[in-house]
Structures are given as C-alpha cells and as structure tokens.
C-alpha cells in the first residue's frame, strides 16, 4: 500500500478486489472530517488571539517565551510545542473559557443510569454543558477572567481524563481529530504571535475588544476578530 497521504491510503483501500470502502464512504468520511475539523480549529485560534489582544501583558509573555525558544530557528516545529508551557496554558485557558463545541455532540443513554441521585432514563438525549463547567466558580477561581497562569500551577490537560476540562469530550466518542487539532492550534497560534505584532482597527482600544459569544453547534465570536498584522 502506498503511504503518500490519507487520501491515497483511502483510495488504495477502495481499489482492492473486495473494497472495504466505497467512493461514497470516502466522500462522507472526508466531509465529516472537514465539517468537524474546520470551524473548531480556526474558532479556537480566533478566540485565543482575541483574548491575547485584550490582554497585552499575556500576549507579551507568550511572545517572549516564543522568542527564547526560537532564537536559533525561523519556523516553529511540532517538537517545539513541549518547550512552550505558557503557550500551552494559553490554549487550555482558551478551551476552558470559549470551548468551540459548547455542548459536545448530543449523546444518548444506552440504559437507565443513576448519576448523583438523578436517574437518566434509557434513550434520553444528553447534552454535556462544557461551557458551564468552564465557568463554574466552584471549580475555577475568577472563572470569567482569562488567566492562562492558572494552568501553570495545575496538572490538567484536555485529553478526556480531567472532567473539569473536556473541550474534546471524553471516553469512546472523544474527538478523533484531537491529535491533529492539538498540533494545528498550537502551531498556528505560535506563528501568529511570533511572526507579527498586531493592532486593532483604527480607533479601537484593546480593552474595548468585544468577546460576546454566539452559541450554536459551535461557539463563535459574535463579532469576528479584525486584527491587523504589523510585520516585524
Ligand atoms: C479545536 C479543535 C476541535 C475541537 C474543540 C473538537 C471538539 C470535538 C468534540 C467536543 C466532539 C464530540 C465529542 C463527544 O461526542 O463527546 C468532536 C467529535 C469529532 N471530531 Fe472534533 N474537535 C476539534 C477538531 C477536530 C479535527 C481537526 C477533526 C478532524 C480532522 C475532528 C473530527 C471529529 C470527528 C470525526 C468527530 C466525531 C467523532 C465520533 O462521534 O465518533 N475534530 N470534536
């Protein structure tokens, strides 16, 4: 089997004598991946940039960390992500405060289940309010403030093991794109922060940047971020 890329691997499966995947299967699979992976990834980067631009001191911290790590290289690599704890904290804080899939994807109970004294009947549709978990003041101090620093003190990640932060869901239906999203969000954000300085539209102060949320299947910025790059 050729190992060129994913599309080639899928087409190879289709060319076998008894194909495991039809062309229609492949088209539906790719559509699923594009739909599930596009807005979520770009929305997260947009939210992170908006919060950093509203908090110039945090933008500066992220920039300084990147400058230190990238003193000898021009472009960030995947392997650099682990050397950037503040950038990772920025991404976690963005997932906490603006999870782009605020109710996860609807689930259904397989059987009657009791959780904390509440019965969830078989076949009930379950929406997990990840947005509310992220804003819960019994879990997070100052939940409405953007404070990446909180994650420098805690060993919490977003891979489904820590239920206070589950932007990708958890268990068997956890987002299959998580490893790709992890890389893309960190790399895109790092490049935007490291390669440019940023300003807002004429006449707008950083504190006035609007962070109103628009709820839907995905959580978008009600007013898209308009940021103007200044080449360094
Ligand atoms: C920041 C980026 C992303 C976030 C926040 C995110 C979040 C989620 C969430 C919350 C779910 C539902 C989990 C559940 O049912 O409990 C999900 C499912 C899914 N995601 Fe992602 N996702 C992201 C990026 C991606 C990418 C890049 C891809 C693929 C290229 C992808 C593909 C999928 C697919 C196919 C499902 C359905 C999995 C299933 O139901 O078995 N996602 N994602």
């Amino acid at each position: 089997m050729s190992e060129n890329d994913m599309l080639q691997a899928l087409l190879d499966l289709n060319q076998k004598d008894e194909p495991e995947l039809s062309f229609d299967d492949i088209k539906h699979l790719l559509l699923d991946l594009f739909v599930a992976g596009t807005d979520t990834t770009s929305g997260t980067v947009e939210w992170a940039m908006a919060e950093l631009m509203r908090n110039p001191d945090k933008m500066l911290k992220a920039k300084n960390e990147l400058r230190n790590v990238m003193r000898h290289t021009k472009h960030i690599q995947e392997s650099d992500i682990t050397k950037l704890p503040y950038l990772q904290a920025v991404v976690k804080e963005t997932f906490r405060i603006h999870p782009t899939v605020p109710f996860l994807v609807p689930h259904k109970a397989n059987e009657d289940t009791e959780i904390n004294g509440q019965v969830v009947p078989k076949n009930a549709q379950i929406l997990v309010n990840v947005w509310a978990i992220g804003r819960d003041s019994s879990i997070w101090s100052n939940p409405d403030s953007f404070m990446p620093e909180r994650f420098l003190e805690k060993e919490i990640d977003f891979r489904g093991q820590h239920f206070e932060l589950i932007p990708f869901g958890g268990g068997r239906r956890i987002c299959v794109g998580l490893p790709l999203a992890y890389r893309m969000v960190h790399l895109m954000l790092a490049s935007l922060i490291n390669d440019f300085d940023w300003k807002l539209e004429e006449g707008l102060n950083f504190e006035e940047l609007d962070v109103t949320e628009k709820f839907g299947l995905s959580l978008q910025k009600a007013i898209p971020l308009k940021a103007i790059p200044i080449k360094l």
Side-chain angles (χ1 to χ4, degrees), residues 33 36-37 40-41 44 95 100-101 104-105 107 167-170 173-177 180-181 185:
L33 294 182
T40 45
T41 308
T44 303
F95 280 139
T100 45
V101 193
L104 299 183
V105 167
H107 289 240
F168 294 94
R173 298 304 294 271
I174 195 169
C175 170
V176 287
L180 178 64
V185 169

Side-chain angles (χ1 to χ4, degrees), residues 69-83:
V69 168
M70 296 182 60
R71 249 172 309 172
H72 307 297
T73 52
K74 196 161 180 322
H75 295 296
I76 179 142
Q77 308 287 327
E78 276 176 38
S79 54
D80 295 324
I81 298 174
T82 52
K83 299 178 212 151

Side-chain angles (χ1 to χ4, degrees), residues 145-206:
S145 302
F146 184 78
M147 291 169 26
E149 290 73 13
R150 67 176 90 236
F151 287 105
L152 298 176
E153 296 148 17
K154 290 184 184 168
E155 276 297 316
I156 295 181
D157 75 23
F158 45 72
R159 289 161 207 273
Q161 300 300 316
H162 300 113
F163 294 141
E164 59 272 55
L165 189 69
I166 48 167
F168 294 94
R172 275 183 294 179
R173 298 304 294 271
I174 195 169
C175 170
V176 287
L178 195 159
L180 178 64
Y182 169 84
R183 290 175 181 79
M184 294 313 298
V185 169
H186 285 88
L187 292 183
M188 280 197 272
L189 190 59
S191 306
L192 292 176
I193 296 171
N194 191 55
D195 295 356
F196 304 96
D197 277 338
W198 293 90
K199 62 176 188 176
L200 291 173
E201 291 169 87
E202 208 58 56
L204 213 60
N205 290 324
F206 288 131

Side-chain angles (χ1 to χ4, degrees), residues 1-32:
M1 180 191 288
S2 159
E3 288 183 347
N4 285 344
D5 58 22
M6 182 173 156
L7 180 59
Q8 191 59 55
L10 292 171
L11 291 174
D12 287 346
L13 286 174
N14 174 263
Q15 298 302 309
K16 286 184 178 170
D17 288 343
E18 288 177 26
E20 292 164 52
L21 287 174
S22 69
F23 269 124
D24 272 353
D25 293 337
I26 294 177
K27 280 193 260 178
H28 289 155
L29 174 64
L30 292 179
L31 181 65
D32 265 2

